[in-house]
Amino acid sequence: MLTKLYDWVDERLDITPMWRDLADHEVPEHVNPAYHFSAFVYCFGGLTFFTIVIQILSGMFLTMYYVPDINNAWDSVFYLQNKVAYGQIVRGMHHWGASLTIVMVFLHTLRVFFTGAYKKPRELNWIVGVLLFFIILGLGFTGYLLPWDMKALFATKVGLQIAASVPFIGNWIEVLLQGSDIVGAQTLARFFAIHVFFLPAALLGLLAAHFIMIRKQGISGPL
Amino acid sequence: MHRGKGMTFVGDSRIPKRGKFIPPKDYSEYPGKTEAFLPNFLLKEWMVGAVFLIGFLVLTVSEASPLEAEADPTKAGYIPLPDWYFLFLYQLLKYPYAAGDYKVIGIVILPGLAMIALLIAPWLDRGPERRAARRPIATGLMLLSLISIIYLTWESSVSHDWAKSEEQGKIVKKVDIDKSSEGYKIYSSQSCVNCHGENLEGKVGPALVGKNIPAQLVEKVAVNGIPPKMPPNAFKGSDKDLKTLAKFIEKVSKK
């Protein structure tokens, strides 16, 4: 039955090469911790992706309760945290997962740097990776405001003041992010939009580029 | 042209003709035990991932993610603190050569240089050598940045008053206060109300509700103050009024 279904699709779309390409590429010995335990450093990239998947899934569940406006934002988070069954786990996965993602992406960057894997021909993938790092930091900054508690508000105020004191374009950045004269309703709406739509879209696009380039070039050889 | 199972496209098929499926290049140039990604390697990876996920779930269950009181822009005394991974940047702005007149250095120049250097690292470090020990400049600069980040984060966390900010951020339960009572009238006619808030919820000064403050302490503090914020002789009135006020605050501050 399944074979017939597969054949039916394959006859029309020729899908075999696509998934064989994914499945058949070989994992070289020097990155396989099963053979050399120290090769666990090569797992940091995969773990970063895993934590990003956790962030996306838990974030999707958070939006089922979260209300992005200043009257209800805090109350909705409080309700999710204290009243909803397993709400603490959903929020906990997103909150702690954010820190975990930063840690993993940092370790992955250091691994690539210290093994010199960013050298020719992988310069472009390094650039995409650094951009991914910046986007993840941006996700951290915008996500910090969303619970709309004391530390969120005041940390964001300071962050925007710092951004505003950049010469020439500072005020422009501040208006763009803040949306009004104060950190308030507009700011929360903008940070929500940036955190949930703009940055994740950029993140997914760059991740696709990151992975396509890895498949094209393979993992860098042993040192 | 034939691909897939008996595949034929008729007429104006725009699928380009290409050679047979080219299997990905194998790693035989690296002698050793290579293995296929699917299912061999992925299965092991999956098992490690499962263990990782369980550890992570245990963390989320045992340690509730923090939530402070709802944002209140009027409480300007709050000590702000960014999330831990921005602490080093925040700390940098506290040094005199990167703040005030020189804040361009702390805000734009140093972080900007670091970001650009990271982005164009492949062109700054062009040699063919990959081992960290054999490209001492690149390795040295990265280690220096690492140590600076760790040091700045550490400095920032030890100079932050954690107890005070926890106090400031605590979720205070709304307490019903009898505003027509004798005690509240004294409270609101004195200077107390300006700093501790109309509902004793705290403003510039700390909240008084939910603290279990004994009456004797109220009498002492109202007269002697607590340096540096709470001034001495804040209370101006008769001893009788002071006693009434102290009793009132003892009552409403009960948990």
Side-chain angles (χ1 to χ4, degrees):
Chain A
M1 176 67 201
L2 271 178
T3 320
K4 267 192 175 168
L5 191 66
Y6 178 86
D7 288 346
W8 190 88
V9 178
D10 192 47
E11 195 180 352
R12 282 155 183 79
L13 293 174
D14 195 20
I15 56 175
T16 305
M18 295 183 218
W19 80 264
R20 291 308 320 175
D21 180 63
L22 187 78
D24 286 348
H25 73 270
E26 290 192 69
V27 180
E29 182 189 346
H30 72 284
V31 303
N32 193 336
Y35 298 123
H36 306 281
F37 184 69
S38 62
F40 73 87
V41 294
Y42 287 93
C43 294
F44 292 157
L47 284 174
T48 309
F49 179 61
F50 185 48
T51 57
I52 288 174
V53 171
I54 290 177
Q55 288 307 95
I56 291 174
L57 290 177
S58 59
M60 279 158 57
F61 279 98
L62 281 182
T63 56
M64 287 184 162
Y65 285 91
Y66 181 74
V67 184
D69 94 276
I70 53 171
N71 284 328
N72 299 311
W74 185 86
D75 295 277
S76 66
V77 175
F78 185 85
Y79 181 78
L80 174 68
Q81 174 96 3
N82 295 297
K83 303 281 158 72
V84 176
Y86 306 113
Q88 184 192 319
I89 295 179
V90 177
R91 183 162 176 254
M93 284 179 85
H94 206 69
H95 177 91
W96 299 120
S99 292
L100 209 57
T101 309
I102 303 264
V103 171
M104 293 319 303
V105 95
F106 191 62
L107 291 175
H108 176 57
T109 309
L110 289 180
R111 194 283 290 170
V112 172
F113 186 86
F114 284 122
T115 56
Y118 57 86
K119 300 203 162 204
K120 192 186 169 189
R122 299 187 174 79
E123 301 99 322
L124 287 174
N125 215 3
W126 169 261
I127 288 199
V128 169
V130 175
L131 292 178
L132 277 166
F133 196 176
F134 295 158
I135 283 178
I136 286 169
L137 286 177
L139 282 163
F141 179 69
T142 50
Y144 203 57
L145 178 70
L146 300 185
W148 199 246
D149 62 354
M150 292 293 279
K151 62 170 188 274
L153 175 71
F154 285 97
T156 304
K157 271 189 174 175
V158 172
L160 288 176
Q161 272 167 18
I162 291 173
S165 57
V166 173
F168 308 119
I169 53 166
N171 284 330
W172 184 78
I173 300 175
E174 192 192 15
V175 170
L176 180 73
L177 291 175
Q178 195 165 284
S180 69
D181 299 337
I182 53 158
V183 177
Q186 280 284 354
T187 320
L188 185 63
R190 291 203 175 184
F191 272 48
F192 179 74
I194 294 169
H195 185 82
V196 175
F197 295 107
F198 289 80
L199 289 182
L203 183 83
L204 290 177
L206 287 175
L207 272 181
H210 207 57
F211 294 156
I212 289 168
M213 282 191 251
I214 295 171
R215 282 300 297 118
K216 203 96 185 167
Q217 301 179 321
I219 298 169
S220 57
L223 282 174
Chain B
M1 181 180 136
H2 176 90
R3 282 190 275 145
K5 284 209 173 181
M7 171 168 283
T8 43
F9 286 107
V10 286
D12 64 344
S13 165
R14 262 158 253 157
I15 306 232
K17 185 176 166 64
R18 57 171 198 191
K20 269 190 189 159
F21 167 58
I22 308 162
K25 108 178 149 202
D26 66 59
Y27 283 83
S28 53
E29 52 191 293
Y30 311 127
K33 305 158 189 133
T34 61
E35 62 185 11
F37 178 70
L38 194 97
N40 309 30
F41 186 69
L42 193 64
L43 186 65
K44 290 180 204 158
E45 223 173 27
W46 215 288
M47 289 191 287
V48 175
V51 174
F52 179 85
L53 186 63
I54 288 170
F56 181 54
L57 282 174
V58 168
L59 169 74
T60 65
V61 173
S62 61
E63 197 68 36
S65 34
L67 180 67
E68 293 192 338
E70 186 168 9
D72 181 355
T74 60
K75 287 188 183 165
Y78 186 86
I79 317 170
L81 190 74
D83 217 349
W84 64 267
Y85 42 86
F86 288 122
L87 281 179
F88 70 102
L89 282 172
Y90 190 53
Q91 179 69 15
L92 184 63
L93 301 177
K94 291 182 182 164
Y95 294 103
Y97 51 79
D101 293 342
Y102 303 110
K103 68 180 172 191
V104 175
I105 297 178
I107 290 172
V108 182
I109 297 180
L110 281 179
L113 276 181
M115 280 162 80
I116 291 170
L118 194 67
L119 260 178
I120 61 168
W123 290 275
L124 296 176
D125 174 26
R126 307 173 71 109
E129 190 54 66
R130 280 182 51 209
R131 282 174 189 278
R134 290 195 196 152
R135 40 195 184 97
I137 298 176
T139 308
L141 284 175
M142 183 52 106
L143 285 178
L144 190 70
S145 328
L146 258 182
I147 292 168
S148 322
I149 288 175
I150 293 169
Y151 172 78
L152 286 172
T153 307
W154 170 256
E155 275 295 298
S156 174
S157 70
V158 292
S159 63
H160 182 69
D161 191 344
W162 293 96
K164 186 164 182 206
S165 70
E166 194 194 331
E167 172 65 41
Q168 289 177 325
K170 222 198 262 168
I171 298 175
V172 181
K173 273 202 187 126
K174 269 249 165 77
V175 181
D176 279 331
I177 296 164
D178 181 5
K179 291 198 175 172
S180 61
S181 71
E182 193 72 11
Y184 186 80
K185 277 180 190 152
I186 298 168
Y187 173 80
S188 59
S189 64
Q190 294 283 339
S191 58
C192 322
V193 68
N194 299 330
C195 296
H196 295 289
E198 257 175 65
N199 299 305
L200 292 80
E201 78 282 18
K203 251 169 138 177
V204 183
L208 299 177
V209 286
K211 295 270 178 64
N212 279 333
I213 307 169
Q216 293 96 317
L217 185 66
V218 178
E219 289 177 31
K220 234 171 81 185
V221 171
V223 175
N224 300 332
I226 302 175
K229 284 276 179 69
M230 171 103 192
N233 299 316
F235 181 82
K236 293 182 179 64
S238 67
D239 280 357
K240 198 184 142 225
D241 280 359
L242 182 58
K243 282 234 159 67
T244 321
L245 174 72
K247 276 209 182 113
F248 164 75
I249 288 178
E250 182 182 58
K251 208 177 108 195
V252 293
S253 73
K254 280 228 170 77
K255 265 182 196 163

